[in-house]
Amino acid sequence: MALVFSIQLVLLILVQCVRSQQDLISKFQKLRYLKQTYDVQDLTSEDFVAHISPQDGLKVADKISSLPGQPKMPKFDQYSGYVTVDSDHGRALFYYFVQSTNESSQTPLVLWLNGGPGCSSLGGGAMMELGPFRVNKDGKTLSANKYSWNKVANMLFLESPAGVGFSYSNKSSDYKTGDTQTAKDSYTFLINWFERFPEYKTRDFYITGESYAGHYIPQLAQLILKSNENESNAAINLKGIAIGNAYIDDETQSKGSHDFWWYRSIVSDEIHDGIVKHCDFSWQSSVSETCNAYINEENKLVSNIFSYDIYAPLCLNGTSSKTTGLDGFDPCSEDYIFSYLNIPQVQNALHANLTGLPGPWQDCNDDIFYKWTDQPFTMLPTIQRLMGSGIRFWIYSGDVDSSVPVTTTKYAIKKLNTTIKSPWRPWNLDGEVGGYVVEYEKLTFVTVRGAGHFVPSYQPDRALALFSSFLAGKPPVAM
Amino acid sequence: MALVFSIQLVLLILVQCVRSQQDLISKFQKLRYLKQTYDVQDLTSEDFVAHISPQDGLKVADKISSLPGQPKMPKFDQYSGYVTVDSDHGRALFYYFVQSTNESSQTPLVLWLNGGPGCSSLGGGAMMELGPFRVNKDGKTLSANKYSWNKVANMLFLESPAGVGFSYSNKSSDYKTGDTQTAKDSYTFLINWFERFPEYKTRDFYITGESYAGHYIPQLAQLILKSNENESNAAINLKGIAIGNAYIDDETQSKGSHDFWWYRSIVSDEIHDGIVKHCDFSWQSSVSETCNAYINEENKLVSNIFSYDIYAPLCLNGTSSKTTGLDGFDPCSEDYIFSYLNIPQVQNALHANLTGLPGPWQDCNDDIFYKWTDQPFTMLPTIQRLMGSGIRFWIYSGDVDSSVPVTTTKYAIKKLNTTIKSPWRPWNLDGEVGGYVVEYEKLTFVTVRGAGHFVPSYQPDRALALFSSFLAGKPPVAM
């Protein structure tokens, strides 16, 4: 299982490391032989009572007066700061919260989580994908994102677990963490955040996110539902979850990735035939030498393109490539965000890095990534339980991502063996096919045409349409 | 066979008709039941002697002084006009010829052919794809195409057969035509064009083109090679052919198209499974009712996207969509070209439409398309003979085209059962993967990443790199 895990994990590796992906692949090839075990705690058996600290006055202190270089735009309030999740360890998670521009007192509250494991929802989700601002090429100023999700919801971005972005712990051993601790800390964060922002306590609450958040989100949802049963806890009004290009099942992730590369005519028939014939990606299997040899050949073929969007231009030498992608998205955005979030005035405005963190803000933390301690081989049993819990469950997929490609999600859903309620059909945005949608019993699956891994970066208008549909609880409109 | 032919033919239908594609699909569904036969003459048995007419003074008359609205750019000579291919019938083919900007007296001569059948190499190839000019949004002015193929070759664009574009016949029965007559007329055109431009008689000569030119080009090449054996004919110095997204084999075209739509997550598993189970696309088979039902369902799903580039925006209401495609190519280009080529001053400058044609210039002629009389079910035997003839043979494929998708070409090449000389590898342009290349014995296959059916429109820089490699007889450079 560990063997399979590590070769997949490389596909989820942080934006920050994209340009050295080739090195990482060879590193992970070695990791495959370590046969680590990944024990995971069953969160359904948790009777978790989160420690609640007093939050008086902290909301006011967290209010952002203005971000350096921000443009004039419709008014909405922004907050950011730390929530302590373990005062003994001095472990605190950083959040960024933007109220909706559209009747924020009525619209739902939505938590957004990026994956990794080890990547920031501030640098990814908020600044590169779906937040109100995009960082300009100068790395100093911001422009408005026309398709920000705070047009329809109050958006809360969490840097999680400790060690990611501005989040930290005073106990370095906390940086060796995994799924279970991440879920518990995220839950503790939420409960305390609701104390700080009590007006949201009864608001409709949703969780969205992508990639390795395919683990985080179902686990957190499960913990919330379980904890809601405990009368000592304040109930969280969880209405639904949506996970995008989601890492949810190691076996289908492996098989689906290899198939995707071949389906897209990136890998030769000969190599793909070899993988199909010689590789077994199931739970207990170990990967054979022959299988490995084919995968090595495959890695060479796929290592030169941007795995998160196979048609996108690369960011070469820190400036955008001349070649245009599907979307006009600037492939060097991560560099601009890195610059921006390391400006001291920006950190001051965000109330971030108050303790003098040892290094610069990074989009993803390699250390967290490599030392990840626990994860289940599959999230499908958790997903099945959530599908029976009454909360809304959507899975979406940008269809030109090769890191957690649409094939892997399709294969995983097939394993759920659920019934089709409304068959696969195109959905419409402005007269164009936005993607395809199929409704299963208690699960909706939506694709986004021409979107890579970071769906709201690559197809911002389609992503906002999809998100609005999710909140409305109705599949996107038909063609 | 006819059954299979007609459902495929719809996929090749002219740019001009894209916005009414849904209607055409249902029209073609009906055509499938007509069970037309498509007899085809074996051009290898032809002992064809083309009639040569005197061409004195015609070259000078064909010289274009300047095209209305053309920009300032590096100097090259342009010519256009008619070559009579049957004086009894008054059948004349229109050509547009642009000399190379790079030592035109040394660089090769390349004939470009669009497909259809029934589409124009002037409106498609020259004005929309690889010629020196692109028509601006105003439909009146031109801008320079930075990646024009006349940077490396003297490019000859032929509107063929009679009935296409400005080409015509005084005998309306000539508009019911097919593969054999098209090959003979194109050959007659060439022989006479060489009389008009005798300096090119001994020049290295190549033929390139796309789509249904997957029929035209191998057939014309075959006729040239056969005719070169006849001492009564002047030999044409044919060095090689390159065909892009080429319609070459009806069986693999059918199977490959259905697979492509499914591979790209455009069609559901259920429909694709039904097609795989119930459809037989081989030579003599008829399509079952059950197969048809699945194909009808599939047609509904695929009818809303631009089949020539599945990620491109549509041209909605005659103006470009706001959504950007892979490439920044304007999806309404065909409209601008239509406007431009119907301006009387433009036609005068081109020496076109001297006889007062009954309708406007059209990119593709429906009448020619629907009344096509003969075509072989497969071009593979012809291709096999050409591969043994000593001329260079390249096939290329823009990998996001669904009309003649990369899968169809891969399946067709598999049927050739040729040996791999150098395995599938990525090729490089400006640090990016331009596509993939595999060298077989006597055949080179190259994909162009992120390109639709009209490769030079969608990925102009990659197309020029590929074309330059083809002329140099070397596969594009490795990553």
Side-chain angles (χ1 to χ4, degrees), chain A residues 141-206:
Chain A
T141 57
L142 305 172
S143 51
N145 170 17
K146 218 171 127 185
Y147 301 102
S148 172
W149 288 14
N150 82 327
K151 305 225 160 190
V152 292
N154 302 285
M155 296 299 309
L156 176 57
F157 303 90
L158 173 64
E159 292 196 305
S160 157
V164 173
F166 293 123
S167 295
Y168 66 91
S169 175
N170 291 334
K171 205 151 191 163
S172 61
S173 60
D174 280 356
Y175 295 150
K176 190 175 176 191
T177 186
D179 280 20
T180 311
Q181 193 57 51
T182 302
K184 287 181 182 175
D185 278 2
S186 300
Y187 180 77
T188 307
F189 162 82
L190 271 183
I191 289 293
N192 283 283
W193 189 89
F194 279 115
E195 289 300 310
R196 197 175 297 187
F197 292 79
E199 66 272 33
Y200 289 101
K201 272 187 180 175
T202 54
R203 195 71 60 88
D204 283 357
F205 178 62
Y206 297 90

Side-chain angles (χ1 to χ4, degrees), chain A residues 264-325:
Chain A
R264 297 291 174 140
S265 299
I266 291 167
V267 162
S268 70
D269 296 352
E270 294 72 32
I271 291 173
H272 185 255
D273 290 349
I275 291 172
V276 169
K277 194 172 168 190
H278 296 287
C279 297
D280 175 1
F281 300 111
S282 60
W283 172 258
Q284 290 292 4
S285 78
S286 61
V287 173
S288 71
E289 281 301 311
T290 318
C291 165
N292 251 334
Y294 280 109
I295 289 178
N296 280 338
E297 288 303 308
E298 184 185 63
N299 281 340
K300 281 183 210 157
L301 280 169
V302 304
S303 62
N304 297 303
I305 58 174
F306 185 59
S307 73
Y308 297 115
D309 180 347
I310 60 168
Y311 302 116
L314 300 172
C315 173
L316 297 168
N317 312 317
T319 59
S320 329
S321 154
K322 280 172 216 159
T323 318
T324 319

Side-chain angles (χ1 to χ4, degrees), chain A residues 262-270 301 304-305 310-314 316 321 323-327 399-400 406 410 414 420 424-426 430-433 436 449-450 459 461-462 479, chain B residues 262-270 301 304-305 310-314 316 321 323-327 399-400 406 410 414 420 424-426 430-433 436 449-450 459 461-462 479:
Chain A
W262 174 66
Y263 285 172
R264 297 291 174 140
S265 299
I266 291 167
V267 162
S268 70
D269 296 352
E270 294 72 32
L301 280 169
N304 297 303
I305 58 174
I310 60 168
Y311 302 116
L314 300 172
L316 297 168
S321 154
T323 318
T324 319
L326 257 172
D327 38 56
D399 66 4
V400 297
V406 61
K410 282 174 61 183
K414 209 164 201 171
I420 292 175
W424 181 276
R425 64 159 174 80
D430 298 335
E432 302 264 3
V433 172
Y436 300 84
R449 187 167 68 106
Q459 293 290 346
D461 51 348
R462 290 177 188 164
M479 285 301 290
Chain B
W262 174 66
Y263 285 172
R264 298 290 175 142
S265 299
I266 292 167
V267 162
S268 70
D269 294 354
E270 293 73 31
L301 281 169
N304 298 302
I305 58 174
I310 61 168
Y311 301 116
L314 301 171
L316 296 168
S321 155
T323 319
T324 320
L326 256 172
D327 37 58
D399 66 4
V400 296
V406 61
K410 281 174 61 183
K414 209 164 201 171
I420 292 175
W424 180 275
R425 63 157 175 82
D430 297 335
E432 301 264 3
V433 172
Y436 299 85
R449 188 167 69 105
Q459 293 290 345
D461 50 347
R462 291 177 189 165
M479 284 302 290

Side-chain angles (χ1 to χ4, degrees), chain A residues 47-64:
Chain A
D47 198 13
F48 188 62
V49 180
H51 178 75
I52 302 179
S53 311
Q55 304 288 328
D56 303 338
L58 294 176
K59 176 182 165 184
V60 173
D62 284 356
K63 185 150 188 207
I64 298 168

Side-chain angles (χ1 to χ4, degrees), chain B residues 15-90:
Chain B
V15 185
Q16 202 65 16
C17 297
V18 161
R19 287 190 298 284
S20 58
Q21 199 176 327
Q22 217 167 353
D23 292 339
L24 283 167
I25 284 170
S26 58
K27 277 185 200 166
F28 271 96
Q29 284 298 321
K30 290 172 196 157
L31 271 184
R32 298 184 68 216
Y33 295 98
L34 295 182
K35 300 200 183 209
Q36 291 145 296
T37 54
Y38 292 89
D39 296 325
V40 69
Q41 227 170 309
D42 182 3
L43 293 166
T44 56
S45 66
E46 280 287 314
D47 197 13
F48 188 62
V49 181
H51 177 75
I52 302 179
S53 311
Q55 304 287 328
D56 304 339
L58 295 176
K59 176 182 165 182
V60 173
D62 283 355
K63 185 147 188 209
I64 298 169
S65 55
S66 170
L67 287 175
Q70 85 172 56
K72 283 202 172 165
M73 57 188 301
K75 200 168 160 42
F76 59 92
D77 286 339
Q78 309 176 70
Y79 299 84
S80 60
Y82 286 98
V83 171
T84 300
V85 292
D86 185 331
S87 48
D88 292 344
H89 285 206

Side-chain angles (χ1 to χ4, degrees), chain A residues 10 21 46 53 104 149 209 377 396 408 427 467-468:
Chain A
V10 66
Q21 199 176 329
E46 280 287 313
S53 311
S104 71
W149 288 14
F377 183 79
Y396 66 90
T408 66
W427 61 273
F467 179 59
S468 305

